[in-house]
Amino acid sequence: MVLLLAQVNTVPPTGEGAIDFTWLFLKMLLILGIVCVGAVLILKYGVPRTRIMQRFQQGGYFQVLGRHVLEHGRSLYLVHVGKRYLVIGVADHGINLVTELTKEEVESGGP
């Protein structure tokens, strides 16, 4: 078996042969900042004006009328479904029906 060993002349990465990436890095940060600001402006002002979310909610059969947080990960919701008003308990492990209210109870603010 014959091994060919060749000597490769290398140039140290200093001096005229080196590429300075500082300006490229600064340009990248500037463009990244412009993209982030543009994304925030579009999400904050552009999306609400197009009413995209309202298009998804049209024809919905339920409305969340209220929410009360009991503790972290546990909440109570008052939901209007068709002609029924439901109090639903939501936790990390599931969703449970607590009770059903009448229209008069919901409009008066309690039983």
Side-chain angles (χ1 to χ4, degrees):
M1 180 179 346
V2 177
L3 291 175
L4 297 174
L5 297 175
Q7 184 176 8
V8 177
N9 294 330
T10 59
V11 178
T14 56
E16 294 177 17
I19 300 174
D20 186 20
F21 289 104
T22 306
W23 178 241
L24 290 173
F25 181 71
L26 291 176
K27 285 195 308 188
M28 181 197 65
L29 287 179
L30 178 68
I31 292 172
L32 180 64
I34 291 170
V35 168
C36 289
V37 168
V40 168
L41 291 176
I42 288 172
L43 291 174
K44 185 169 180 145
Y45 298 110
V47 172
R49 290 178 192 251
T50 60
R51 301 178 191 264
I52 291 174
M53 295 309 292
Q54 288 181 357
R55 290 181 191 159
F56 288 120
Q57 294 174 354
Q58 287 178 351
Y61 296 101
F62 65 93
Q63 290 179 316
V64 177
L65 301 176
R67 176 181 179 221
H68 180 73
V69 177
L70 300 174
E71 60 184 49
H72 180 70
R74 296 182 182 185
S75 302
L76 288 175
Y77 287 90
L78 177 61
V79 181
H80 181 219
V81 181
K83 294 183 179 181
R84 299 170 64 189
Y85 293 92
L86 306 173
V87 177
I88 298 175
V90 178
D92 292 334
H93 61 276
I95 299 172
N96 296 315
L97 175 64
V98 176
T99 188
E100 184 173 344
L101 301 175
T102 63
K103 184 177 182 179
E104 292 79 23
E105 289 175 331
V106 172
E107 291 175 352
S108 69

